[in-house]
C-alpha cells in the first residue's frame, strides 16, 4: 500500500503480520547451531529420517524389480514395481534437498545466505520477526505453524525457519537475535483452529 506522508513523498506500508509462506511443517525440521562466528540451521534427525525412508523404500522396490526381472519372466510386474520404486525414491530425494541446503549467518564474511534468496549483509538486518498462522487443509486437520523471518533496512523480509514447535522457534529466535545483536519482534496473534 502506498501512502503520501507529510513531506509529499510516497512511503510504503508493509503489513508485517501477513505470513510469508503458504505452508509449514508440522514437525521440528531444523535446529539452530551457534558457534563463535557462525549461526546455521541444521536439519533434525527426525526430518532427515522421514526423507530417507522414502529413498530406502524406493531403492528396495527398484532392487526387487531387478530381482523379479532376472529370476522370473514377469516383465509387467517388474516394470510396475520398478517404476513405483523409482517414483518413491525420486520423491524422497526431492523432499531431502531443502534440508541439505544450509541457511547460515557468517560474521567473518558479514552475510546471511540461504541459497534461495539474494545474500544479505548482516549490517543490513534490522530485526527478526516471529509470525504465526494456521495451515488449513480440506481433508485433514488444521494446525498452527510459526515462522521466523529477518527484516532488512531496505524493507526485505526473508524467511529463515518455519515449523509448529512454538517454544523451540521462540528459543531459536532469541538466540539468533542475541548472536546478531538485533531486536526480536513478536507478531504472533490469537488465532483459532
Amino acid at each position: 500500500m502506498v501512502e503520501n506522508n507529510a513531506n509529499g513523498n510516497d512511503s510504503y506500508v508493509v503489513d508485517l503480520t501477513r505470513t510469508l509462506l503458504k505452508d509449514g511443517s508440522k514437525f521440528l525440521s531444523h535446529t539452530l547451531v551457534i558457534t563463535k562466528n557462525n549461526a546455521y540451521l541444521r536439519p533434525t534427525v527426525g526430518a532427515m529420517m522421514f526423507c530417507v525412508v522414502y529413498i530406502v523404500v524406493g531403492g528396495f522396490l527398484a532392487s526387487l524389480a531387478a530381482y523379479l526381472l532376472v529370476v522370473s519372466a514377469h516383465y509387467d510386474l517388474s516394470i510396475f514395481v520398478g517404476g513405483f520404486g523409482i517414483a518413491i525414491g525420486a520423491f524422497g530425494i526431492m523432499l531431502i534437498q531443502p534440508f541439505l541446503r544450509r541457511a547460515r549467518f557468517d560474521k567473518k564474511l558479514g552475510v546471511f545466505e540461504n541459497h534461495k534468496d539474494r545474500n544479505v549483509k548482516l549490517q543490513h538486518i534490522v530485526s527478526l520477526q516471529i509470525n504465526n498462522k494456521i495451515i488449513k487443509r480440506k481433508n485433514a486437520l488444521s494446525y498452527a505453524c510459526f515462522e521466523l523471518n529477518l527484516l532488512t533496512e531496505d524493507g526485505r523480509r526473508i524467511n529463515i525457519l518455519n515449523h509448529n514447535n512454538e517454544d523451540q522457534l521462540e528459543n531459536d529466535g532469541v538466540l539468533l537475535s542475541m548472536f546478531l545483536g538485533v531486536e526480536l519482534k513478536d507478531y504472533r496473534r490469537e488465532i483459532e483452529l
Side-chain angles (χ1 to χ4, degrees):
M1 173 192 293
V2 180
E3 292 182 349
N4 248 336
N5 60 17
N7 300 338
N9 298 331
D10 290 338
S11 63
Y12 295 91
V13 177
V14 179
D15 181 10
L16 294 177
T17 61
R18 184 182 60 80
T19 56
L20 281 179
L21 301 178
K22 187 176 181 181
D23 287 333
S25 58
K26 198 171 181 177
F27 56 88
L28 179 61
S29 59
H30 290 79
T31 56
L32 180 69
V33 177
I34 296 179
T35 63
K36 183 178 179 181
N37 291 314
N38 288 303
Y40 60 91
L41 297 172
R42 180 177 59 201
T44 61
V45 173
M48 294 300 285
M49 291 306 295
F50 178 77
C51 301
V52 168
V53 165
Y54 283 99
I55 296 169
V56 169
V57 168
F60 171 76
L61 290 175
S63 300
L64 179 63
Y67 174 77
L68 288 172
L69 189 61
V70 171
V71 172
S72 68
H74 295 129
Y75 295 112
D76 54 347
L77 180 62
S78 296
I79 291 171
F80 175 75
V81 171
F84 195 61
I86 290 170
I88 290 175
F91 179 69
I93 291 168
M94 186 181 71
L95 277 178
I96 206 167
Q97 285 179 346
F99 292 110
L100 298 177
R101 281 188 230 122
R102 280 202 172 158
R104 73 181 179 124
F105 298 83
D106 189 331
K107 282 189 175 178
K108 279 187 178 179
L109 297 176
V111 296
F112 164 73
E113 59 183 353
N114 65 359
H115 305 286
K116 186 171 47 172
D117 299 299
R118 195 174 68 232
N119 289 352
V120 175
K121 291 186 178 183
L122 296 184
Q123 65 196 32
H124 294 165
I125 298 173
V126 293
S127 66
L128 298 174
Q129 168 199 48
I130 295 179
N131 237 356
N132 64 335
K133 58 189 167 189
I134 296 292
I135 305 299
K136 295 191 181 210
R137 306 279 187 205
K138 284 185 179 181
N139 299 321
L141 294 174
S142 298
Y143 62 92
C145 186
F146 304 91
E147 62 184 27
L148 178 64
N149 303 315
L150 68 82
L151 304 171
T152 67
E153 60 188 24
D154 63 351
R156 286 178 64 200
R157 185 167 58 147
I158 299 172
N159 181 262
I160 300 169
L161 179 63
N162 70 338
H163 53 71
N164 85 333
N165 189 326
E166 183 176 12
D167 293 335
Q168 183 66 48
L169 190 111
E170 186 175 352
N171 184 50
D172 290 346
V174 168
L175 291 173
L176 192 55
S177 71
M178 288 171 30
F179 176 79
L180 295 171
V182 297
E183 179 184 12
L184 176 64
K185 297 183 177 185
D186 191 346
Y187 288 100
R188 288 176 286 186
R189 60 198 179 284
E190 291 291 322
I191 48 180
E192 294 184 26
L193 289 173

